[in-house]
mmCIF file of all heavy atoms in Angstrom:
data_model
loop_
_atom_site.group_PDB
_atom_site.id
_atom_site.type_symbol
_atom_site.label_atom_id
_atom_site.label_comp_id
_atom_site.label_asym_id
_atom_site.label_seq_id
_atom_site.Cartn_x
_atom_site.Cartn_y
_atom_site.Cartn_z
ATOM 1 N N ILE A 1 -44.882 74.487 -27.328
ATOM 2 C CA ILE A 1 -44.484 73.106 -27.599
ATOM 3 C C ILE A 1 -43.351 73.002 -28.516
ATOM 4 O O ILE A 1 -42.921 71.872 -28.923
ATOM 5 C CB ILE A 1 -45.699 72.263 -28.151
ATOM 6 C CG1 ILE A 1 -46.154 72.819 -29.487
ATOM 7 C CG2 ILE A 1 -46.895 72.328 -27.174
ATOM 8 C CD1 ILE A 1 -47.247 72.122 -30.151
ATOM 9 N N TYR A 2 -42.745 74.117 -28.953
ATOM 10 C CA TYR A 2 -41.652 74.035 -29.901
ATOM 11 C C TYR A 2 -40.468 73.328 -29.221
ATOM 12 O O TYR A 2 -40.036 73.756 -28.143
ATOM 13 C CB TYR A 2 -41.232 75.487 -30.234
ATOM 14 C CG TYR A 2 -40.377 75.598 -31.563
ATOM 15 C CD1 TYR A 2 -40.926 75.236 -32.734
ATOM 16 C CD2 TYR A 2 -39.067 75.960 -31.504
ATOM 17 C CE1 TYR A 2 -40.158 75.334 -33.934
ATOM 18 C CE2 TYR A 2 -38.287 76.058 -32.633
ATOM 19 C CZ TYR A 2 -38.863 75.660 -33.881
ATOM 20 O OH TYR A 2 -38.075 75.805 -35.024
ATOM 21 N N PRO A 3 -39.944 72.227 -29.747
ATOM 22 C CA PRO A 3 -38.993 71.408 -29.133
ATOM 23 C C PRO A 3 -37.586 71.828 -29.049
ATOM 24 O O PRO A 3 -36.793 71.326 -28.293
ATOM 25 C CB PRO A 3 -39.122 70.066 -29.860
ATOM 26 C CG PRO A 3 -39.464 70.470 -31.213
ATOM 27 C CD PRO A 3 -40.365 71.682 -31.121
ATOM 28 N N PHE A 4 -37.205 72.785 -29.935
ATOM 29 C CA PHE A 4 -35.830 73.216 -30.040
ATOM 30 C C PHE A 4 -35.381 74.222 -29.006
ATOM 31 O O PHE A 4 -36.244 74.875 -28.452
ATOM 32 C CB PHE A 4 -35.541 73.760 -31.434
ATOM 33 C CG PHE A 4 -35.754 72.707 -32.552
ATOM 34 C CD1 PHE A 4 -36.960 72.813 -33.326
ATOM 35 C CD2 PHE A 4 -34.971 71.719 -32.816
ATOM 36 C CE1 PHE A 4 -37.203 71.902 -34.291
ATOM 37 C CE2 PHE A 4 -35.165 70.763 -33.747
ATOM 38 C CZ PHE A 4 -36.319 70.868 -34.616
ATOM 39 N N ASN A 5 -34.187 74.270 -28.739
ATOM 40 C CA ASN A 5 -33.555 75.068 -27.679
ATOM 41 C C ASN A 5 -33.491 76.560 -28.005
ATOM 42 O O ASN A 5 -32.390 77.082 -28.037
ATOM 43 C CB ASN A 5 -32.201 74.562 -27.180
ATOM 44 C CG ASN A 5 -31.700 75.138 -25.908
ATOM 45 O OD1 ASN A 5 -32.517 75.746 -25.233
ATOM 46 N ND2 ASN A 5 -30.419 75.089 -25.693
ATOM 47 N N ILE A 6 -34.656 77.136 -28.229
ATOM 48 C CA ILE A 6 -34.746 78.603 -28.522
ATOM 49 C C ILE A 6 -35.976 79.164 -27.750
ATOM 50 O O ILE A 6 -36.782 78.362 -27.310
ATOM 51 C CB ILE A 6 -34.791 78.932 -29.945
ATOM 52 C CG1 ILE A 6 -36.010 78.252 -30.554
ATOM 53 C CG2 ILE A 6 -33.528 78.502 -30.711
ATOM 54 C CD1 ILE A 6 -36.289 78.610 -32.044
ATOM 55 N N ILE A 7 -36.033 80.448 -27.601
ATOM 56 C CA ILE A 7 -37.140 81.069 -27.014
ATOM 57 C C ILE A 7 -37.364 80.515 -25.595
ATOM 58 O O ILE A 7 -38.499 79.999 -25.315
ATOM 59 C CB ILE A 7 -38.447 81.046 -27.831
ATOM 60 C CG1 ILE A 7 -38.187 81.293 -29.285
ATOM 61 C CG2 ILE A 7 -39.523 82.010 -27.341
ATOM 62 C CD1 ILE A 7 -39.364 81.200 -30.198
ATOM 63 N N TYR A 8 -36.393 80.631 -24.666
ATOM 64 C CA TYR A 8 -36.577 80.187 -23.232
ATOM 65 C C TYR A 8 -37.008 78.762 -23.164
ATOM 66 O O TYR A 8 -37.998 78.498 -22.522
ATOM 67 C CB TYR A 8 -37.604 81.168 -22.558
ATOM 68 C CG TYR A 8 -37.215 82.555 -22.649
ATOM 69 C CD1 TYR A 8 -37.880 83.477 -23.569
ATOM 70 C CD2 TYR A 8 -36.179 83.089 -21.848
ATOM 71 C CE1 TYR A 8 -37.529 84.795 -23.664
ATOM 72 C CE2 TYR A 8 -35.866 84.434 -21.927
ATOM 73 C CZ TYR A 8 -36.546 85.264 -22.823
ATOM 74 O OH TYR A 8 -36.229 86.652 -22.887
ATOM 75 N N HIS A 9 -36.304 77.918 -23.806
ATOM 76 C CA HIS A 9 -36.660 76.441 -23.777
ATOM 77 C C HIS A 9 -36.826 75.903 -22.412
ATOM 78 O O HIS A 9 -37.784 75.226 -22.131
ATOM 79 C CB HIS A 9 -35.620 75.652 -24.663
ATOM 80 C CG HIS A 9 -35.871 74.229 -24.634
ATOM 81 N ND1 HIS A 9 -35.270 73.275 -23.814
ATOM 82 C CD2 HIS A 9 -36.724 73.458 -25.536
ATOM 83 C CE1 HIS A 9 -35.715 72.080 -24.111
ATOM 84 N NE2 HIS A 9 -36.608 72.155 -25.119
ATOM 85 N N SER A 10 -35.917 76.143 -21.553
ATOM 86 C CA SER A 10 -35.945 75.594 -20.167
ATOM 87 C C SER A 10 -37.250 76.061 -19.414
ATOM 88 O O SER A 10 -37.875 75.357 -18.763
ATOM 89 C CB SER A 10 -34.623 75.900 -19.411
ATOM 90 O OG SER A 10 -34.506 77.314 -19.250
ATOM 91 N N SER A 11 -37.460 77.413 -19.607
ATOM 92 C CA SER A 11 -38.641 77.892 -18.944
ATOM 93 C C SER A 11 -39.942 77.318 -19.430
ATOM 94 O O SER A 11 -40.862 77.013 -18.725
ATOM 95 C CB SER A 11 -38.682 79.477 -19.050
ATOM 96 O OG SER A 11 -37.565 80.061 -18.521
ATOM 97 N N ARG A 12 -39.981 77.181 -20.814
ATOM 98 C CA ARG A 12 -41.214 76.588 -21.349
ATOM 99 C C ARG A 12 -41.346 75.141 -20.954
ATOM 100 O O ARG A 12 -42.481 74.653 -20.610
ATOM 101 C CB ARG A 12 -41.175 76.618 -22.870
ATOM 102 C CG ARG A 12 -41.247 78.067 -23.486
ATOM 103 C CD ARG A 12 -41.331 78.014 -24.966
ATOM 104 N NE ARG A 12 -40.050 77.687 -25.628
ATOM 105 C CZ ARG A 12 -39.740 76.666 -26.323
ATOM 106 N NH1 ARG A 12 -40.786 75.705 -26.412
ATOM 107 N NH2 ARG A 12 -38.659 76.426 -26.869
ATOM 108 N N LEU A 13 -40.269 74.312 -20.829
ATOM 109 C CA LEU A 13 -40.351 72.974 -20.432
ATOM 110 C C LEU A 13 -40.766 72.905 -18.953
ATOM 111 O O LEU A 13 -41.605 72.063 -18.580
ATOM 112 C CB LEU A 13 -38.977 72.361 -20.538
ATOM 113 C CG LEU A 13 -38.840 70.894 -20.248
ATOM 114 C CD1 LEU A 13 -39.799 70.058 -21.094
ATOM 115 C CD2 LEU A 13 -37.412 70.353 -20.313
ATOM 116 N N PHE A 14 -40.257 73.863 -18.119
ATOM 117 C CA PHE A 14 -40.683 73.817 -16.722
ATOM 118 C C PHE A 14 -42.169 74.153 -16.599
ATOM 119 O O PHE A 14 -42.917 73.465 -15.841
ATOM 120 C CB PHE A 14 -39.872 74.885 -16.016
ATOM 121 C CG PHE A 14 -40.300 75.066 -14.528
ATOM 122 C CD1 PHE A 14 -39.914 74.106 -13.546
ATOM 123 C CD2 PHE A 14 -41.043 76.174 -14.110
ATOM 124 C CE1 PHE A 14 -40.238 74.288 -12.237
ATOM 125 C CE2 PHE A 14 -41.458 76.322 -12.795
ATOM 126 C CZ PHE A 14 -40.974 75.375 -11.889
ATOM 127 N N PHE A 15 -42.657 75.138 -17.418
ATOM 128 C CA PHE A 15 -44.031 75.451 -17.397
ATOM 129 C C PHE A 15 -44.945 74.255 -17.841
ATOM 130 O O PHE A 15 -45.940 73.933 -17.175
ATOM 131 C CB PHE A 15 -44.347 76.660 -18.213
ATOM 132 C CG PHE A 15 -45.788 77.029 -18.333
ATOM 133 C CD1 PHE A 15 -46.358 77.825 -17.423
ATOM 134 C CD2 PHE A 15 -46.542 76.651 -19.424
ATOM 135 C CE1 PHE A 15 -47.706 78.146 -17.495
ATOM 136 C CE2 PHE A 15 -47.891 76.995 -19.528
ATOM 137 C CZ PHE A 15 -48.431 77.806 -18.551
ATOM 138 N N LEU A 16 -44.605 73.603 -18.918
ATOM 139 C CA LEU A 16 -45.359 72.567 -19.395
ATOM 140 C C LEU A 16 -45.389 71.366 -18.420
ATOM 141 O O LEU A 16 -46.390 70.653 -18.270
ATOM 142 C CB LEU A 16 -44.823 72.091 -20.758
ATOM 143 C CG LEU A 16 -45.002 73.055 -21.903
ATOM 144 C CD1 LEU A 16 -44.296 72.599 -23.210
ATOM 145 C CD2 LEU A 16 -46.472 73.317 -22.156
ATOM 146 N N THR A 17 -44.253 71.167 -17.708
ATOM 147 C CA THR A 17 -44.098 70.116 -16.752
ATOM 148 C C THR A 17 -45.129 70.382 -15.558
ATOM 149 O O THR A 17 -45.835 69.438 -15.146
ATOM 150 C CB THR A 17 -42.696 69.908 -16.176
ATOM 151 O OG1 THR A 17 -41.841 69.636 -17.240
ATOM 152 C CG2 THR A 17 -42.587 68.838 -15.229
ATOM 153 N N CYS A 18 -45.138 71.606 -15.086
ATOM 154 C CA CYS A 18 -45.998 71.973 -13.982
ATOM 155 C C CYS A 18 -47.510 71.865 -14.468
ATOM 156 O O CYS A 18 -48.309 71.411 -13.709
ATOM 157 C CB CYS A 18 -45.761 73.406 -13.512
ATOM 158 S SG CYS A 18 -44.151 73.572 -12.730
ATOM 159 N N LEU A 19 -47.674 72.275 -15.689
ATOM 160 C CA LEU A 19 -49.125 72.194 -16.249
ATOM 161 C C LEU A 19 -49.513 70.753 -16.341
ATOM 162 O O LEU A 19 -50.721 70.431 -16.023
ATOM 163 C CB LEU A 19 -49.112 72.863 -17.628
ATOM 164 C CG LEU A 19 -50.477 72.967 -18.300
ATOM 165 C CD1 LEU A 19 -51.527 73.756 -17.463
ATOM 166 C CD2 LEU A 19 -50.382 73.621 -19.660
ATOM 167 N N PHE A 20 -48.655 69.874 -16.753
ATOM 168 C CA PHE A 20 -48.983 68.449 -16.861
ATOM 169 C C PHE A 20 -49.235 67.857 -15.481
ATOM 170 O O PHE A 20 -50.258 67.117 -15.324
ATOM 171 C CB PHE A 20 -47.771 67.670 -17.523
ATOM 172 C CG PHE A 20 -48.051 66.211 -17.693
ATOM 173 C CD1 PHE A 20 -48.900 65.753 -18.720
ATOM 174 C CD2 PHE A 20 -47.420 65.331 -16.795
ATOM 175 C CE1 PHE A 20 -49.138 64.384 -18.810
ATOM 176 C CE2 PHE A 20 -47.609 63.983 -16.946
ATOM 177 C CZ PHE A 20 -48.494 63.467 -17.955
ATOM 178 N N HIS A 21 -48.477 68.289 -14.466
ATOM 179 C CA HIS A 21 -48.717 67.819 -13.091
ATOM 180 C C HIS A 21 -50.105 68.267 -12.619
ATOM 181 O O HIS A 21 -50.808 67.572 -11.893
ATOM 182 C CB HIS A 21 -47.665 68.339 -12.174
ATOM 183 C CG HIS A 21 -46.414 67.640 -12.446
ATOM 184 N ND1 HIS A 21 -45.200 68.060 -11.799
ATOM 185 C CD2 HIS A 21 -46.010 66.571 -13.200
ATOM 186 C CE1 HIS A 21 -44.138 67.322 -12.193
ATOM 187 N NE2 HIS A 21 -44.658 66.349 -13.088
ATOM 188 N N CYS A 22 -50.500 69.519 -13.000
ATOM 189 C CA CYS A 22 -51.750 70.058 -12.574
ATOM 190 C C CYS A 22 -52.981 69.271 -13.190
ATOM 191 O O CYS A 22 -53.900 68.856 -12.505
ATOM 192 C CB CYS A 22 -51.939 71.544 -12.978
ATOM 193 S SG CYS A 22 -50.850 72.680 -12.063
ATOM 194 N N ILE A 23 -52.832 68.985 -14.516
ATOM 195 C CA ILE A 23 -53.925 68.273 -15.246
ATOM 196 C C ILE A 23 -53.986 66.794 -14.710
ATOM 197 O O ILE A 23 -55.011 66.325 -14.563
ATOM 198 C CB ILE A 23 -53.580 68.314 -16.757
ATOM 199 C CG1 ILE A 23 -53.678 69.700 -17.255
ATOM 200 C CG2 ILE A 23 -54.632 67.378 -17.487
ATOM 201 C CD1 ILE A 23 -53.201 69.842 -18.720
ATOM 202 N N CYS A 24 -52.824 66.234 -14.353
ATOM 203 C CA CYS A 24 -52.854 64.843 -13.907
ATOM 204 C C CYS A 24 -53.011 64.685 -12.414
ATOM 205 O O CYS A 24 -52.809 63.572 -11.928
ATOM 206 C CB CYS A 24 -51.547 64.129 -14.332
ATOM 207 S SG CYS A 24 -51.410 63.991 -16.175
ATOM 208 N N ALA A 25 -53.344 65.752 -11.714
ATOM 209 C CA ALA A 25 -53.538 65.714 -10.266
ATOM 210 C C ALA A 25 -54.678 64.604 -10.002
ATOM 211 O O ALA A 25 -55.647 64.632 -10.753
ATOM 212 C CB ALA A 25 -53.819 67.078 -9.674
ATOM 213 N N PRO A 26 -54.421 63.796 -9.018
ATOM 214 C CA PRO A 26 -53.532 63.753 -7.936
ATOM 215 C C PRO A 26 -52.414 62.736 -8.144
ATOM 216 O O PRO A 26 -51.978 62.100 -7.119
ATOM 217 C CB PRO A 26 -54.383 63.410 -6.818
ATOM 218 C CG PRO A 26 -55.425 62.444 -7.293
ATOM 219 C CD PRO A 26 -55.570 62.969 -8.726
ATOM 220 N N LEU A 27 -51.984 62.455 -9.366
ATOM 221 C CA LEU A 27 -51.062 61.354 -9.655
ATOM 222 C C LEU A 27 -49.623 61.741 -9.290
ATOM 223 O O LEU A 27 -48.781 60.847 -9.089
ATOM 224 C CB LEU A 27 -51.132 60.973 -11.104
ATOM 225 C CG LEU A 27 -52.561 60.497 -11.671
ATOM 226 C CD1 LEU A 27 -52.401 60.201 -13.097
ATOM 227 C CD2 LEU A 27 -53.010 59.311 -10.781
ATOM 228 N N TYR A 28 -49.316 63.030 -9.154
ATOM 229 C CA TYR A 28 -47.902 63.473 -8.873
ATOM 230 C C TYR A 28 -47.929 64.178 -7.459
ATOM 231 O O TYR A 28 -48.896 64.787 -7.061
ATOM 232 C CB TYR A 28 -47.419 64.381 -9.950
ATOM 233 C CG TYR A 28 -47.230 63.708 -11.293
ATOM 234 C CD1 TYR A 28 -48.185 63.638 -12.199
ATOM 235 C CD2 TYR A 28 -45.958 63.154 -11.578
ATOM 236 C CE1 TYR A 28 -48.084 63.076 -13.464
ATOM 237 C CE2 TYR A 28 -45.788 62.527 -12.807
ATOM 238 C CZ TYR A 28 -46.818 62.521 -13.793
ATOM 239 O OH TYR A 28 -46.616 61.844 -14.962
ATOM 240 N N LYS A 29 -46.742 64.093 -6.829
ATOM 241 C CA LYS A 29 -46.543 64.787 -5.636
ATOM 242 C C LYS A 29 -46.696 66.273 -5.836
ATOM 243 O O LYS A 29 -46.199 66.873 -6.828
ATOM 244 C CB LYS A 29 -45.154 64.477 -5.064
ATOM 245 C CG LYS A 29 -44.778 65.187 -3.749
ATOM 246 C CD LYS A 29 -43.529 64.818 -3.251
ATOM 247 C CE LYS A 29 -43.197 65.425 -1.935
ATOM 248 N NZ LYS A 29 -44.043 65.122 -0.831
ATOM 249 N N VAL A 30 -47.416 66.933 -4.979
ATOM 250 C CA VAL A 30 -47.720 68.416 -5.186
ATOM 251 C C VAL A 30 -46.601 69.243 -4.632
ATOM 252 O O VAL A 30 -46.269 69.153 -3.440
ATOM 253 C CB VAL A 30 -49.009 68.751 -4.520
ATOM 254 C CG1 VAL A 30 -49.344 70.207 -4.793
ATOM 255 C CG2 VAL A 30 -50.191 67.832 -5.042
ATOM 256 N N THR A 31 -45.987 70.142 -5.515
ATOM 257 C CA THR A 31 -44.953 71.017 -5.036
ATOM 258 C C THR A 31 -45.552 72.468 -5.228
ATOM 259 O O THR A 31 -46.562 72.707 -5.795
ATOM 260 C CB THR A 31 -43.730 70.832 -5.821
ATOM 261 O OG1 THR A 31 -43.968 71.090 -7.202
ATOM 262 C CG2 THR A 31 -43.193 69.505 -5.731
ATOM 263 N N LEU A 32 -44.742 73.420 -4.685
ATOM 264 C CA LEU A 32 -45.171 74.819 -4.730
ATOM 265 C C LEU A 32 -45.426 75.330 -6.202
ATOM 266 O O LEU A 32 -46.533 75.874 -6.416
ATOM 267 C CB LEU A 32 -44.098 75.750 -4.054
ATOM 268 C CG LEU A 32 -44.375 77.226 -4.201
ATOM 269 C CD1 LEU A 32 -45.664 77.632 -3.568
ATOM 270 C CD2 LEU A 32 -43.205 78.022 -3.603
ATOM 271 N N PRO A 33 -44.579 75.025 -7.209
ATOM 272 C CA PRO A 33 -44.887 75.565 -8.468
ATOM 273 C C PRO A 33 -46.161 74.896 -9.072
ATOM 274 O O PRO A 33 -46.926 75.630 -9.862
ATOM 275 C CB PRO A 33 -43.676 75.051 -9.335
ATOM 276 C CG PRO A 33 -42.535 74.912 -8.350
ATOM 277 C CD PRO A 33 -43.238 74.430 -7.100
ATOM 278 N N ASP A 34 -46.486 73.686 -8.723
ATOM 279 C CA ASP A 34 -47.643 73.073 -9.181
ATOM 280 C C ASP A 34 -48.968 73.616 -8.671
ATOM 281 O O ASP A 34 -49.803 74.028 -9.521
ATOM 282 C CB ASP A 34 -47.684 71.541 -8.837
ATOM 283 C CG ASP A 34 -46.494 70.808 -9.563
ATOM 284 O OD1 ASP A 34 -45.955 71.265 -10.510
ATOM 285 O OD2 ASP A 34 -46.135 69.698 -8.968
ATOM 286 N N PHE A 35 -49.037 73.804 -7.402
ATOM 287 C CA PHE A 35 -50.281 74.366 -6.890
ATOM 288 C C PHE A 35 -50.397 75.860 -7.102
ATOM 289 O O PHE A 35 -51.471 76.377 -7.201
ATOM 290 C CB PHE A 35 -50.565 74.027 -5.415
ATOM 291 C CG PHE A 35 -49.708 74.665 -4.328
ATOM 292 C CD1 PHE A 35 -49.800 75.974 -4.059
ATOM 293 C CD2 PHE A 35 -48.753 73.865 -3.740
ATOM 294 C CE1 PHE A 35 -48.957 76.571 -3.106
ATOM 295 C CE2 PHE A 35 -47.912 74.467 -2.711
ATOM 296 C CZ PHE A 35 -48.052 75.791 -2.440
ATOM 297 N N PHE A 36 -49.206 76.571 -7.200
ATOM 298 C CA PHE A 36 -49.211 77.941 -7.506
ATOM 299 C C PHE A 36 -49.803 78.199 -8.946
ATOM 300 O O PHE A 36 -50.524 79.141 -9.134
ATOM 301 C CB PHE A 36 -47.753 78.508 -7.377
ATOM 302 C CG PHE A 36 -47.749 79.939 -7.395
ATOM 303 C CD1 PHE A 36 -48.042 80.662 -6.193
ATOM 304 C CD2 PHE A 36 -47.312 80.698 -8.499
ATOM 305 C CE1 PHE A 36 -47.983 82.147 -6.240
ATOM 306 C CE2 PHE A 36 -47.261 82.041 -8.526
ATOM 307 C CZ PHE A 36 -47.587 82.819 -7.428
ATOM 308 N N LEU A 37 -49.326 77.372 -9.872
ATOM 309 C CA LEU A 37 -49.848 77.464 -11.286
ATOM 310 C C LEU A 37 -51.339 77.148 -11.273
ATOM 311 O O LEU A 37 -52.064 77.812 -12.031
ATOM 312 C CB LEU A 37 -49.087 76.555 -12.180
ATOM 313 C CG LEU A 37 -49.597 76.447 -13.632
ATOM 314 C CD1 LEU A 37 -49.484 77.846 -14.291
ATOM 315 C CD2 LEU A 37 -48.754 75.442 -14.440
ATOM 316 N N ALA A 38 -51.746 76.126 -10.566
ATOM 317 C CA ALA A 38 -53.208 75.776 -10.561
ATOM 318 C C ALA A 38 -54.012 76.926 -10.067
ATOM 319 O O ALA A 38 -55.126 77.191 -10.560
ATOM 320 C CB ALA A 38 -53.396 74.523 -9.776
ATOM 321 N N ASP A 39 -53.526 77.623 -9.066
ATOM 322 C CA ASP A 39 -54.234 78.787 -8.546
ATOM 323 C C ASP A 39 -54.363 79.911 -9.526
ATOM 324 O O ASP A 39 -55.412 80.560 -9.637
ATOM 325 C CB ASP A 39 -53.529 79.381 -7.279
ATOM 326 C CG ASP A 39 -53.798 78.590 -6.055
ATOM 327 O OD1 ASP A 39 -55.017 78.253 -5.889
ATOM 328 O OD2 ASP A 39 -53.021 78.455 -5.123
#
């Protein structure tokens, strides 16, 4: 959750976004990264 642009910030943001989509299912359109992470 570190907000600054260090330690793979874009990758961490992408992971947290997918995780948020998993937790909030079925409110968001399901994409490959989302259901792959849920698996």
Side-chain angles (χ1 to χ4, degrees):
I1 64 176
Y2 198 68
F4 300 103
N5 190 18
I6 58 174
I7 315 179
Y8 304 102
H9 178 263
S10 60
S11 300
R12 290 188 287 111
L13 183 60
F14 177 76
F15 175 84
L16 292 175
T17 301
C18 293
L19 183 61
F20 181 76
H21 289 172
C22 292
I23 296 175
C24 294
L27 301 180
Y28 291 89
K29 181 179 178 62
V30 182
T31 60
L32 174 62
D34 296 338
F35 71 73
F36 192 78
L37 176 59
D39 277 323

